Amino acid sequence: MWILQNLLFILHTALSCVSGAAAVIHLFGYEGRDVDVSCSYDAGYESYEKYLCKNNCGNADVLITSSQVKNNKYSIYDDNNKRVFTTTISDLSSVDAGKYWCGVSRTMLLDYYPAEVRLEVVPDSCCDQFTKIHSYEEGSVSISCSYQSEDQNNLKYICRGTQPSTCLQQALITSNRKQKGRFTLTDDKGSRNFTVTITSLTQKDSGMYLCGVHRKTGLDVFSAVELEISPQDSSTVTSTITMEPVRSQSTHTPSKHTKDAVQFTLFFYILPAILAGLLILAIFLVWVYKGKCNKVQGVGVIMNINRSNEEMTVNDIYEIQENAGAASSNSQSLLHHNDNPGEDQHSLYRNMATTEDFYSIITLTPGATAGQCL
């Protein structure tokens, strides 16, 4: 009877360890990722076999033992110095969620279960809702992230992408280091907001970002931000540098300064040049016509016919030349053939006086015909 009572006591104690006395560990894992289940044990069990089991921990529920070390999905490592054995569950899926037990094998007694593990598996993505922020290249942007009052002293960080499982490892900046390259982090604990400022933006900075708050137990807390970076708005620069000249050329509307410049050029350069050219041309024509007149009249003879309100033609000139030649012949005939030289000389002077009435400078009236001379 005494032996039966002792067996019942031992059984009750063992069941108490399994059902309520063991520590409860809450774990969270992301689908497709790994999770570590760490279980500590009491002194004296360093050399005992350890294992991880699921649900009721029957023989079929044992997933891996320390004597196996590793199989397809599970691996185990026992640190005897720290008295902690750790089981890693790889490639998590929703079916891996549930209750596990950390077990220590004992030969003569019931196995020892130092901890109960409750595993929750969540998708490795965030988040259903997000804030959208827009900015421009070469500018800067500030991303504000809020958190709960219990997280005031926890680590804050920001990363790119939408995978919470790797966000902390790939953090662009954390609250432990508030300045890193183009990123600056400031934490306002009074308003429970931390702000990340990004400078010298490029279009490569566009995309999803996660604001993360690290928690010692459970999953980190995240909020999502979508950042859109557009090319710098250069319409003002284009209109000032490029569009202004094109618009002036297309409308052909000169400004006041342009009109003044044209008038100045016209009156002080172009018109004087035209007048000078006309003057030179007139002088040249006069010189040409004078040469023709000298050739017609002979050497040193300039005829001037005083004819009021009448125009002189080339035929008039020829008629004057014939009369002058006749007078000259008569004069020479008198000099050589007259027996009275004195009388001949007097007649010659009289004849010459008559011809002088015809010899003078030829004056052409305006509107003279082609071929007339000055």
Side-chain angles (χ1 to χ4, degrees):
M1 187 73 179
W2 178 82
I3 296 173
L4 180 60
Q5 288 178 344
N6 286 334
L7 289 173
L8 290 173
F9 176 78
I10 294 171
L11 179 60
H12 175 74
T13 303
L15 291 174
S16 297
C17 289
V18 173
S19 61
V24 178
I25 301 173
H26 293 275
L27 289 179
F28 298 87
Y30 294 102
E31 290 181 350
R33 301 295 178 177
D34 300 344
V35 66
D36 292 331
V37 182
S38 296
C39 307
S40 59
Y41 51 86
D42 294 337
Y45 292 103
E46 288 86 353
S47 59
Y48 284 63
E49 184 181 56
K50 285 83 178 179
Y51 61 90
L52 183 70
C53 62
K54 192 175 183 181
N55 298 326
N56 295 325
C57 273
N59 291 332
D61 296 326
V62 174
L63 303 173
I64 191 172
T65 66
S66 57
S67 59
Q68 291 177 289
V69 181
K70 185 177 182 180
N71 59 27
N72 293 333
K73 191 175 179 69
Y74 305 95
S75 63
I76 191 169
Y77 172 72
D78 184 12
D79 188 343
N80 293 329
N81 295 327
K82 295 181 179 181
R83 297 197 303 273
V84 175
F85 72 94
T86 301
T87 303
T88 300
I89 306 175
S90 303
D91 193 19
L92 290 172
S93 64
S94 59
V95 297
D96 293 320
K99 183 171 66 174
Y100 293 80
W101 292 95
C102 298
V104 179
S105 296
R106 292 188 295 188
T107 305
M108 300 300 298
L109 300 172
L110 292 175
D111 291 352
Y112 165 47
Y113 298 97
E116 176 188 348
V117 178
R118 295 176 183 176
L119 176 62
E120 182 179 347
V121 179
V122 297
D124 189 15
S125 62
C126 183
C127 299
D128 293 337
Q129 296 180 349
F130 56 87
T131 303
K132 196 166 186 177
I133 300 176
H134 180 266
S135 189
Y136 293 93
E137 282 185 323
E138 301 181 8
S140 62
V141 67
S142 295
I143 301 174
S144 181
C145 310
S146 60
Y147 55 85
Q148 301 297 321
S149 57
E150 60 266 27
D151 295 321
Q152 286 184 348
N153 297 321
N154 290 348
L155 182 72
K156 289 89 177 178
Y157 58 94
I158 192 170
C159 68
R160 297 200 62 169
T162 59
Q163 289 186 312
S165 61
T166 58
C167 189
L168 181 57
Q169 291 80 3
Q170 300 175 359
L172 300 170
I173 190 170
T174 69
S175 56
N176 288 341
R177 184 182 178 183
K178 297 184 178 181
Q179 178 68 47
K180 184 179 179 182
R182 299 184 296 123
F183 300 88
T184 304
L185 189 149
T186 57
D187 186 6
D188 186 354
K189 295 182 179 181
S191 61
R192 299 193 302 275
N193 278 283
F194 73 92
T195 303
V196 176
T197 301
I198 311 173
T199 60
S200 302
L201 292 169
T202 66
Q203 291 195 49
K204 292 182 180 180
D205 293 318
S206 298
M208 295 296 298
Y209 290 78
L210 291 182
C211 300
V213 178
H214 181 63
R215 287 180 172 175
K216 295 179 181 179
T217 58
L219 293 174
D220 291 356
V221 181
F222 297 96
S223 58
V225 175
E226 183 181 9
L227 179 59
E228 181 181 357
I229 306 299
S230 299
Q232 187 178 29
D233 187 3
S234 57
S235 59
T236 303
V237 177
T238 303
S239 62
T240 301
I241 298 176
T242 305
M243 297 302 293
E244 184 77 13
V246 172
R247 184 168 61 251
S248 298
Q249 292 177 1
S250 62
T251 57
H252 296 283
T253 303
S255 63
K256 182 179 181 300
H257 297 290
T258 305
K259 290 180 179 179
D260 293 342
V262 171
Q263 292 175 357
F264 180 83
T265 304
L266 178 63
F267 286 107
F268 289 91
Y269 291 97
I270 298 177
L271 288 180
I274 294 174
L275 293 175
L278 291 175
L279 182 59
I280 293 172
L281 179 61
I283 294 172
F284 175 75
L285 293 176
V286 169
W287 179 78
V288 171
Y289 291 143
K290 278 188 176 181
K292 291 177 65 177
C293 291
N294 290 335
K295 184 175 181 181
V296 172
Q297 295 171 0
V299 178
V301 179
I302 301 176
M303 301 178 65
N304 181 16
I305 306 300
N306 295 321
R307 301 177 61 179
S308 300
N309 301 323
E310 292 183 5
E311 294 182 1
M312 181 176 289
T313 63
V314 176
N315 293 329
D316 296 331
I317 296 173
Y318 290 154
E319 183 178 355
I320 293 170
Q321 279 187 314
E322 290 175 359
N323 294 331
S328 179
S329 299
N330 292 334
S331 299
Q332 291 180 1
S333 176
L334 290 173
L335 289 174
H336 292 285
H337 300 287
N338 198 333
D339 294 334
N340 190 350
E343 184 180 355
D344 294 337
Q345 187 175 4
H346 185 267
S347 300
L348 176 62
Y349 290 150
R350 187 171 57 249
N351 292 330
M352 290 180 66
T354 304
T355 58
E356 286 177 358
D357 293 336
F358 299 96
Y359 284 78
S360 69
I361 300 173
I362 298 173
T363 303
L364 296 179
T365 60
T369 59
Q372 294 173 330
C373 306
L374 289 178

